Amino acid sequence: MAERNADKSAQAHATGTFPDLTELCRIHEIGLDLIDKSHDLDGLLDRVLDEYETRLQRLPSEALDARAGAARGDGAAQLRGLVMFATQAAALKEKAVAAGELRRKAAMLEESNARLQQALDEARRAHARLEGVLAALSSGVMILHPEGGAVTANGAARALAGLDDDPERARLIVAGVPRDGDAEIDLPVFQDRRTLLVSRRALPGGTGEEVVLVTDVTSRNDAVEERVRLEKLAEVLKTLSVLSHKINNPLTALLGRAQMLQAHKGENPMVVKAATVIEESSLRIADLIRELTRVVKEGRHEALDQLLDMNASAQESGR
Amino acid sequence: MSVVAVSNGPTRTLRLTGCDALDAANAAEIKREALALLGDHPNAVVDLSGVSFVDSAGVGVLVGLFKHARGRGGRVRFCGLSPGVRAVLELIQLDRIFEIFDDAEAAAR
């Protein structure tokens, strides 16, 4: 039986064709279950080893003995059958090992993909958080590509730089700012001029891209000017306070003497007129001093402006 | 022929000594001895450097030891194959089924 099968196998090898898998298995004396198990290395090996044991037990002892020369008769046929089976079994085993390796690599790849997906999801969440932070910033943040155009900009940057109207304004904004430096620039925004503090910094990674921070410092500058003005006003009011006090003493003496002259004026009309003028002028100065004292106490520049305006008007009308 | 066992960590090395043939005359006895020495050790190295001839019964012993270790979730590795033994294993393709190493040190690694 085995000899007949071996002959058929030799014929099949010679023609290079096999009718079908069942015939192939029959010729090589291997079961279809062996091929079924070829995807399962452990199952396959168990089946193959059992078959080896069975065939080796059937095989005459001298069949494998090279010292005894070539096996003969039934032993030779059984040996050929064993060799054919062994060849197929070994090929299936190696295929199963390779398939197992492929499955292991596929599992590793799947695991790696899962880790990459996880990292991607985390990066997306981080990106969303960063976008949220940028959107919430009152300062403008722009990323510029090496040629100067904006790659991306948050809402504040678009508003401050007017990028929605003209994306090329990004170049205009950074034109006066040195690389990796800071500068204040005045920029027309709508029908107004704004002062912007602009900082340029190179982004790491060697892409040539830059991050640009834009902060509107117009109101800050206004506040600085107002503070300087208030400081000056305080100095003026302090000086006025001292002056009022110093003028008030001689004025009181002057007014007293004018009133004495009025009391002893006699009949000389020039003395009478001079005493009247001195008294009236002294009273006007006294009113002015009182008004100045009030302004100093209030400490407001509007009151001082009003007093100065009134005094100017009075002088104009007095001329 | 007899079997000598040497333990090295979790791996037990079996060395076949005393006769250069593993054949039908001693296969059953050697298999019994070897299985007793392996016990429950899942991993073993079978050193065949003392064997120059093996017949079908002797190969059956090697297949039996290989199955024994697999049944315990372990591995049997063979080493020290003489040219004659190697030729027999190659003839029946067992060199593609078994794990074969040049010497015991490489096999135990």
Side-chain angles (χ1 to χ4, degrees):
Chain A
M1 170 70 182
E3 197 169 4
R4 199 166 57 245
N5 284 339
D7 292 343
K8 283 187 179 177
S9 171
Q11 288 167 12
H13 277 298
T15 58
T17 56
F18 292 104
D20 55 31
L21 188 60
T22 309
E23 178 65 5
L24 174 72
C25 292
R26 198 180 62 73
I27 290 170
H28 287 275
E29 293 186 342
I30 60 174
L32 269 174
D33 64 318
L34 200 62
I35 292 175
D36 285 344
K37 286 180 185 300
S38 63
H39 65 282
D40 165 22
L41 181 59
D42 282 335
L44 175 72
L45 274 179
D46 288 342
R47 173 73 181 80
V48 165
L49 292 169
D50 287 344
E51 187 70 20
Y52 261 111
E53 277 195 320
T54 304
R55 287 174 184 257
L56 285 167
Q57 280 167 7
R58 286 204 315 245
L59 196 65
S61 176
E62 70 280 4
L64 284 175
D65 186 356
R67 295 175 303 188
R72 295 180 189 86
D74 197 39
Q78 285 182 359
L79 178 58
R80 278 198 295 274
L82 173 58
V83 170
M84 279 187 280
F85 156 77
T87 304
Q88 298 297 322
L92 286 174
K93 181 246 181 180
E94 282 160 4
K95 185 182 145 197
V97 169
E101 183 64 15
L102 273 179
R103 278 196 298 275
R104 193 181 64 78
K105 283 180 178 170
M108 282 171 63
L109 198 60
E110 198 173 331
E111 193 182 337
S112 173
N113 276 348
R115 281 200 300 270
L116 277 175
Q117 186 61 48
Q118 198 176 357
L120 185 62
D121 290 345
E122 182 56 35
R124 281 185 178 140
R125 283 193 290 275
H127 184 256
R129 282 197 293 271
L130 185 61
E131 288 281 311
V133 169
L134 288 177
L137 282 177
S138 59
S139 292
V141 181
M142 294 188 287
I143 306 294
L144 299 187
H145 60 65
E147 286 74 37
V151 175
T152 183
N154 70 349
R158 287 199 301 276
L160 286 170
L163 295 182
D164 289 338
D165 297 328
D166 180 6
E168 291 303 307
R169 277 169 68 97
R171 292 178 204 274
L172 180 68
I173 287 179
V174 298
V177 184
R179 284 184 182 276
D180 288 321
D182 313 283
E184 283 190 14
I185 60 167
D186 284 319
L187 193 73
V189 176
F190 300 111
Q191 291 168 340
D192 197 4
R193 286 198 76 78
R194 311 296 296 176
T195 304
L196 304 180
L197 173 60
V198 181
S199 301
R200 294 175 70 176
R201 297 290 184 274
L203 275 179
T207 60
E209 291 182 337
E210 291 180 279
V211 60
V212 177
L213 264 68
V214 183
T215 309
D216 186 351
V217 293
T218 312
S219 56
R220 185 202 69 183
N221 288 358
D222 288 349
V224 170
E225 284 172 15
E226 176 66 10
R227 196 180 69 192
V228 170
R229 207 163 65 85
L230 286 174
E231 283 172 358
K232 283 181 180 170
L233 175 66
E235 284 298 315
V236 168
L237 292 175
K238 190 176 168 186
T239 305
L240 285 177
S241 173
V242 173
L243 280 176
S244 300
H245 184 70
K246 287 186 181 291
I247 291 170
N248 207 39
N249 289 339
L251 182 63
T252 305
L254 193 63
L255 192 57
R257 293 296 183 273
Q259 286 169 347
M260 279 178 62
L261 278 175
Q262 288 278 19
H264 301 88
K265 56 192 175 189
E267 294 302 323
N268 188 334
M270 283 184 64
V271 173
V272 170
K273 186 167 175 59
T276 302
V277 169
I278 290 168
E279 186 180 17
E280 285 175 358
S281 297
S282 299
L283 287 172
R284 278 218 304 276
I285 292 171
D287 285 345
L288 194 56
I289 293 299
R290 270 197 299 278
E291 196 59 29
L292 276 175
T293 305
R294 181 186 65 76
V295 166
V296 168
K297 280 180 181 169
E298 284 188 14
R300 293 186 303 117
H301 67 86
E302 290 88 351
L304 181 61
D305 292 344
Q306 192 181 8
L307 174 63
L308 293 173
D309 288 346
M310 283 170 58
N311 199 37
S313 302
Q315 282 180 349
E316 284 291 323
S317 61
R319 277 180 192 159
Chain B
M1 172 169 270
S2 61
V3 186
V4 176
V6 179
S7 284
N8 184 13
T11 298
R12 177 159 282 199
T13 299
L14 302 185
R15 186 168 296 125
L16 278 59
T17 59
C19 172
D20 68 347
L22 176 59
D23 56 14
N26 58 13
E29 182 192 346
I30 292 294
K31 184 175 182 180
R32 194 167 50 249
E33 268 187 53
L35 291 178
L37 288 169
L38 277 181
D40 287 330
H41 275 77
N43 296 314
V45 171
V46 176
D47 185 348
L48 296 169
S49 54
V51 179
S52 59
F53 170 72
V54 66
D55 70 357
S56 57
V59 174
V61 172
L62 305 184
V63 171
L65 295 177
F66 193 78
K67 278 181 66 177
H68 175 84
R70 279 180 47 75
R72 282 156 181 74
R75 304 157 64 189
V76 159
R77 283 154 285 184
F78 298 96
C79 68
L81 273 64
S82 66
V85 173
R86 183 178 287 275
V88 167
L89 295 188
E90 285 175 357
L91 174 67
I92 56 173
Q93 307 287 323
L94 276 172
D95 61 315
R96 295 164 70 183
I97 304 289
F98 288 168
E99 292 182 72
I100 297 173
F101 297 85
D102 286 341
D103 52 45
E105 192 182 340
R109 235 176 254 148

